[in-house]
Amino acid sequence: MSFVGAGPGAADLITLRGATRIAEADLVLYTPSTVDPVWLREHARADAELVDHGRLGADELAERYRGVASRHHRAVLLIAGDPAQCADLREQRELCTKIGLDVEVVPGVSPVSAVAAATGNSLTEAAAADTAIVTDAATEADFERIRDLAAEGRTLAVNAPAARAAELAEALTAAGLDPQVPVVVAHKVSWADEKLLRTTVGEVVAEVKRANLWRHALFLVGDALRQAKPRAGYVPRAAGEPGKRWASKSWRSTGTWPRRSCPEAEVPAQADVEPAVPEQARPVVAEADVPAVEAKPVVKRTAAAKKQPPKTARATARRTTKK
């Protein structure tokens, strides 16, 4: 019996080992809502039996396991995402061991990892988040627990119905998160009809309604999901600490370059600085010693005068004519 992680849903995001176990199986148990039957049939043998795991009760599932053991067949139970996040994995594994089946667990790509990869982000990042928490929320008690889990410096991954986004936003706000903290909402990530929303704690309810999401979705919450890197001087705010989230402003936020300040006095501009000259070295010039300079009158010639030849040239011309 192989418990195989089916990944987030895309056919090419299953591991090679997982694809090999499907190809060798006589019986494949799966859930159509999380695993696409089209690509599953491409990996499975033509004579393999594909059974909807969600339609089987506990007794029917145990009978299927006994049939595999008695016929010495190979069976695969496909688990959406990664088996490490399957809550009843231990129960299923112990049941197969009691029946006499050899058990193997094949890891898969987690939907949390797939959503983070789709946004180009990691779950933890220096100066943004050093802790990642994955949890489910379906009841009122679950949302109350989120108030204790959500905090600055953490990335929170919540599996919850999109129709309860308002309760999630209320829990995050009650935990002290800033309304501008990034939130990513993912539905059927890596599928052909996936929906991926980038929003904030303050706008998540409106964005979910605008996208008409109400079924099961994955919410990623935290500063590590920003689209840009943190600016210089960014310091995560402690939980419950009021005030702004930025420790200092840079010239990019103010639009001007920072001026260098002098610790003692303001340094004047270069054009206003007059070179220091000792008082004794400066020459003393009396006003009477300065000779007066007579200004020469400025004679302006008209256009007609400019065309006439010089006076000496006209006199020479008259003398030549008389002779």
Side-chain angles (χ1 to χ4, degrees):
M1 184 68 195
S2 298
F3 296 94
V4 177
D12 54 352
L13 284 182
I14 191 171
T15 63
L16 294 176
R17 182 179 299 180
T20 301
R21 295 297 181 268
I22 295 174
E24 298 171 347
D26 302 285
L27 171 66
V28 179
L29 303 170
Y30 76 106
T31 304
S33 60
T34 58
V35 178
D36 189 357
V38 176
W39 72 257
L40 176 58
R41 176 54 67 183
E42 294 177 355
H43 286 288
R45 296 198 325 243
D47 58 341
E49 184 181 6
L50 305 183
V51 178
D52 185 356
H53 171 258
R55 295 180 178 274
L56 300 179
D59 296 337
E60 294 176 311
L61 184 61
E63 188 63 28
R64 288 280 183 175
Y65 289 161
R66 294 188 184 94
V68 172
S70 62
R71 299 183 183 91
H72 300 283
H73 283 178
R74 295 178 179 268
V76 166
L77 174 60
L78 286 176
I79 300 175
D82 186 23
Q85 298 179 8
C86 180
D88 60 345
L89 177 62
R90 180 186 298 274
E91 180 182 354
Q92 296 292 329
R93 179 171 53 82
E94 291 178 351
L95 175 61
C96 292
T97 303
K98 290 180 181 179
I99 293 176
L101 289 172
D102 295 329
V103 178
E104 177 191 24
V105 179
V106 179
V109 178
S110 167
V112 177
S113 300
V115 174
T119 62
N121 296 93
S122 59
L123 298 178
T124 58
E125 186 181 10
D130 57 4
T131 305
I133 300 176
V134 181
T135 184
D136 296 334
T139 64
E140 185 177 353
D142 296 334
F143 288 103
E144 291 180 356
R145 186 178 69 254
I146 290 177
R147 298 179 184 180
D148 300 329
L149 298 176
E152 298 287 345
R154 291 181 179 177
T155 300
L156 193 62
V158 182
N159 293 290
R164 309 191 71 171
E167 298 177 65
L168 176 61
E170 181 181 356
L172 297 175
T173 304
L177 292 187
D178 193 295
Q180 297 301 320
V181 170
V183 177
V184 175
V185 185
H187 174 66
K188 300 187 72 171
V189 66
S190 79
W191 289 60
D193 55 345
E194 74 169 8
K195 288 187 178 181
L196 196 67
L197 308 178
R198 276 189 176 273
T199 180
T200 61
V201 172
E203 299 291 336
V204 62
V205 178
E207 289 294 331
V208 168
K209 290 182 179 179
R210 190 177 296 111
N212 196 24
L213 290 179
W214 55 276
R215 292 185 177 181
H216 191 82
L218 177 61
F219 296 82
L220 296 186
V221 184
D223 286 316
L225 301 170
R226 297 179 317 275
Q227 291 182 284
K229 293 182 179 180
R231 289 180 281 180
Y234 172 77
V235 178
R237 188 181 61 183
E241 179 184 353
K244 296 182 179 180
R245 298 172 54 80
W246 300 97
S248 62
K249 291 184 179 180
S250 63
W251 67 271
R252 295 184 183 274
S253 60
T254 59
T256 57
W257 286 90
R259 296 184 61 184
R260 297 181 179 179
S261 59
C262 179
E264 297 180 357
E266 185 70 18
V267 179
Q270 185 68 23
D272 300 335
V273 176
E274 182 180 357
V277 180
E279 192 68 24
Q280 298 178 355
R282 294 183 178 180
V284 180
V285 181
E287 187 176 354
D289 297 339
V290 180
V293 180
E294 183 179 358
K296 295 183 180 181
V298 179
V299 180
K300 295 183 179 180
R301 299 177 61 189
T302 61
K306 291 181 180 180
K307 294 181 180 180
Q308 294 180 0
K311 185 176 181 181
T312 55
R314 294 198 301 268
T316 305
R318 286 196 298 267
R319 288 195 299 270
T320 304
T321 303
K322 290 180 181 181
K323 292 181 180 182

Short mmCIF file of all heavy atoms in Angstrom, two decimals, residues 2 21 24 30 33 46 59 63 70 73 86-87 97 106 108 118 125 137 150 160 180 187 200 202 236 250 263 302 309:
data_model
loop_
_atom_site.label_atom_id
_atom_site.label_comp_id
_atom_site.label_asym_id
_atom_site.label_seq_id
_atom_site.Cartn_x
_atom_site.Cartn_y
_atom_site.Cartn_z
N SER A 2 0.65 2.12 -0.97
CA SER A 2 1.44 3.34 -1.08
C SER A 2 0.52 4.54 -0.90
O SER A 2 -0.47 4.68 -1.63
CB SER A 2 2.15 3.42 -2.44
OG SER A 2 3.05 2.36 -2.62
N ARG A 21 4.52 4.60 -8.83
CA ARG A 21 3.63 3.79 -8.00
C ARG A 21 2.23 3.72 -8.59
O ARG A 21 1.57 2.68 -8.51
CB ARG A 21 3.57 4.39 -6.59
CG ARG A 21 4.89 4.36 -5.84
CD ARG A 21 5.36 2.93 -5.61
NE ARG A 21 6.62 2.91 -4.87
CZ ARG A 21 7.82 2.89 -5.45
NH1 ARG A 21 7.92 2.87 -6.77
NH2 ARG A 21 8.91 2.86 -4.71
N GLU A 24 2.18 1.14 -11.37
CA GLU A 24 2.30 -0.24 -10.92
C GLU A 24 1.05 -0.73 -10.17
O GLU A 24 0.92 -1.94 -9.91
CB GLU A 24 3.50 -0.38 -9.98
CG GLU A 24 4.83 -0.06 -10.63
CD GLU A 24 5.97 -0.01 -9.62
OE1 GLU A 24 5.66 0.01 -8.40
OE2 GLU A 24 7.13 -0.01 -10.04
N TYR A 30 -8.74 7.66 -4.97
CA TYR A 30 -8.50 9.09 -5.15
C TYR A 30 -9.79 9.85 -4.88
O TYR A 30 -10.87 9.27 -4.73
CB TYR A 30 -7.98 9.38 -6.56
CG TYR A 30 -9.05 9.33 -7.62
CD1 TYR A 30 -9.56 10.49 -8.21
CD2 TYR A 30 -9.58 8.10 -8.05
CE1 TYR A 30 -10.56 10.45 -9.17
CE2 TYR A 30 -10.57 8.05 -9.02
CZ TYR A 30 -11.05 9.22 -9.57
OH TYR A 30 -12.04 9.17 -10.53
N SER A 33 -12.34 15.72 -6.53
CA SER A 33 -12.30 17.16 -6.29
C SER A 33 -10.88 17.68 -6.09
O SER A 33 -10.62 18.88 -6.25
CB SER A 33 -13.13 17.50 -5.05
OG SER A 33 -12.63 16.83 -3.90
N ALA A 46 -4.15 0.41 -17.92
CA ALA A 46 -5.46 0.36 -18.56
C ALA A 46 -6.42 -0.54 -17.78
O ALA A 46 -7.64 -0.30 -17.76
CB ALA A 46 -5.32 -0.15 -20.00
N ASP A 59 -15.75 1.16 6.86
CA ASP A 59 -15.80 -0.30 6.71
C ASP A 59 -15.51 -0.70 5.27
O ASP A 59 -14.81 -1.70 5.02
CB ASP A 59 -17.16 -0.84 7.14
CG ASP A 59 -17.42 -0.61 8.63
OD1 ASP A 59 -16.44 -0.46 9.38
OD2 ASP A 59 -18.61 -0.57 9.02
N GLU A 63 -12.42 -3.03 3.83
CA GLU A 63 -12.65 -4.21 2.99
C GLU A 63 -11.81 -4.14 1.72
O GLU A 63 -11.30 -5.17 1.24
CB GLU A 63 -14.13 -4.30 2.65
CG GLU A 63 -14.53 -5.59 1.95
CD GLU A 63 -14.29 -6.82 2.81
OE1 GLU A 63 -14.33 -6.70 4.06
OE2 GLU A 63 -14.07 -7.91 2.24
N SER A 70 -5.26 -9.94 0.21
CA SER A 70 -5.52 -11.34 -0.14
C SER A 70 -5.07 -11.67 -1.55
O SER A 70 -4.66 -12.80 -1.83
CB SER A 70 -7.01 -11.65 0.04
OG SER A 70 -7.79 -10.83 -0.85
N HIS A 73 -2.00 -7.76 -4.33
CA HIS A 73 -1.98 -6.67 -5.30
C HIS A 73 -1.26 -5.45 -4.73
O HIS A 73 -0.90 -5.41 -3.54
CB HIS A 73 -3.41 -6.29 -5.70
CG HIS A 73 -4.03 -7.24 -6.65
ND1 HIS A 73 -5.33 -7.13 -7.11
CD2 HIS A 73 -3.54 -8.37 -7.26
CE1 HIS A 73 -5.61 -8.11 -7.94
NE2 HIS A 73 -4.55 -8.89 -8.04
N CYS A 86 -1.64 15.40 5.95
CA CYS A 86 -2.87 14.62 6.02
C CYS A 86 -3.14 14.25 7.48
O CYS A 86 -2.32 13.56 8.12
CB CYS A 86 -2.75 13.36 5.17
SG CYS A 86 -4.21 12.32 5.18
N ALA A 87 -4.28 14.69 7.99
CA ALA A 87 -4.57 14.52 9.42
C ALA A 87 -4.79 13.06 9.80
O ALA A 87 -4.47 12.66 10.93
CB ALA A 87 -5.79 15.36 9.81
N THR A 97 -1.35 -1.79 8.30
CA THR A 97 -0.37 -2.65 8.97
C THR A 97 -1.07 -3.81 9.68
O THR A 97 -0.59 -4.96 9.66
CB THR A 97 0.46 -1.83 9.97
OG1 THR A 97 1.09 -0.75 9.29
CG2 THR A 97 1.50 -2.69 10.64
N VAL A 106 4.85 8.22 0.05
CA VAL A 106 5.59 8.96 -0.98
C VAL A 106 5.23 10.44 -0.85
O VAL A 106 4.07 10.81 -1.01
CB VAL A 106 5.24 8.45 -2.40
CG1 VAL A 106 6.01 9.24 -3.45
CG2 VAL A 106 5.53 6.96 -2.51
N GLY A 108 4.82 14.53 -1.55
CA GLY A 108 4.37 15.28 -2.72
C GLY A 108 4.56 16.78 -2.50
O GLY A 108 5.00 17.22 -1.44
N ALA A 118 3.88 30.19 -6.89
CA ALA A 118 3.12 30.91 -7.91
C ALA A 118 3.23 32.42 -7.73
O ALA A 118 3.14 33.19 -8.70
CB ALA A 118 1.65 30.50 -7.86
N GLU A 125 11.50 34.88 5.34
CA GLU A 125 12.42 35.82 4.71
C GLU A 125 13.07 36.66 5.78
O GLU A 125 12.43 37.01 6.79
CB GLU A 125 11.66 36.70 3.72
CG GLU A 125 12.54 37.63 2.91
CD GLU A 125 11.73 38.49 1.96
OE1 GLU A 125 10.48 38.48 2.09
OE2 GLU A 125 12.32 39.18 1.12
N ALA A 137 -9.08 26.05 9.29
CA ALA A 137 -10.10 26.82 9.99
C ALA A 137 -11.45 26.51 9.37
O ALA A 137 -11.68 26.81 8.19
CB ALA A 137 -9.81 28.32 9.92
N ALA A 150 -1.59 34.24 14.79
CA ALA A 150 -1.17 35.35 13.92
C ALA A 150 -0.38 36.37 14.72
O ALA A 150 -0.77 36.76 15.82
CB ALA A 150 -2.40 36.01 13.28
N ALA A 160 -9.25 27.27 4.56
CA ALA A 160 -10.57 27.64 5.05
C ALA A 160 -11.49 27.90 3.88
O ALA A 160 -11.04 28.20 2.76
CB ALA A 160 -10.50 28.88 5.94
N GLN A 180 -2.57 46.62 6.25
CA GLN A 180 -1.78 46.57 5.02
C GLN A 180 -0.93 45.32 4.88
O GLN A 180 -0.17 45.19 3.92
CB GLN A 180 -0.88 47.81 4.93
CG GLN A 180 -1.63 49.12 4.86
CD GLN A 180 -2.56 49.19 3.67
OE1 GLN A 180 -2.21 48.74 2.58
NE2 GLN A 180 -3.75 49.74 3.86
N HIS A 187 -7.16 29.44 -5.05
CA HIS A 187 -8.17 28.41 -5.24
C HIS A 187 -7.77 27.55 -6.44
O HIS A 187 -7.55 28.06 -7.54
CB HIS A 187 -9.54 29.04 -5.47
CG HIS A 187 -10.63 28.04 -5.81
ND1 HIS A 187 -11.07 27.10 -4.92
CD2 HIS A 187 -11.33 27.85 -6.96
CE1 HIS A 187 -12.01 26.37 -5.47
NE2 HIS A 187 -12.19 26.79 -6.71
N THR A 200 -4.80 42.50 0.79
CA THR A 200 -4.32 42.79 2.13
C THR A 200 -5.37 42.35 3.15
O THR A 200 -6.48 41.96 2.79
CB THR A 200 -4.04 44.29 2.30
OG1 THR A 200 -5.25 45.02 2.08
CG2 THR A 200 -2.98 44.76 1.30
N GLY A 202 -6.99 44.21 5.15
CA GLY A 202 -8.11 45.12 5.13
C GLY A 202 -9.02 44.98 3.92
O GLY A 202 -10.18 45.38 3.97
N PRO A 236 10.22 44.90 11.47
CA PRO A 236 8.89 44.36 11.79
C PRO A 236 8.41 44.88 13.13
O PRO A 236 9.16 44.89 14.11
CB PRO A 236 9.12 42.85 11.80
CG PRO A 236 10.35 42.63 11.00
CD PRO A 236 11.20 43.84 11.21
N SER A 250 13.25 56.96 3.47
CA SER A 250 14.35 57.10 2.53
C SER A 250 13.97 58.15 1.50
O SER A 250 12.85 58.65 1.45
CB SER A 250 14.63 55.76 1.83
OG SER A 250 13.51 55.37 1.07
N PRO A 263 26.90 68.13 12.54
CA PRO A 263 26.48 67.96 13.93
C PRO A 263 26.44 69.26 14.72
O PRO A 263 25.74 69.36 15.71
CB PRO A 263 27.52 66.98 14.50
CG PRO A 263 28.70 67.13 13.61
CD PRO A 263 28.16 67.45 12.25
N THR A 302 23.21 105.85 -37.99
CA THR A 302 21.99 105.39 -38.63
C THR A 302 22.31 104.49 -39.80
O THR A 302 23.47 104.38 -40.23
CB THR A 302 21.17 106.60 -39.12
OG1 THR A 302 21.96 107.30 -40.06
CG2 THR A 302 20.81 107.52 -37.96
N PRO A 309 30.24 106.62 -47.73
CA PRO A 309 31.68 106.35 -47.54
C PRO A 309 32.26 107.29 -46.50
O PRO A 309 31.66 108.30 -46.15
CB PRO A 309 32.27 106.63 -48.94
CG PRO A 309 31.30 107.53 -49.57
CD PRO A 309 29.95 107.19 -49.04
#
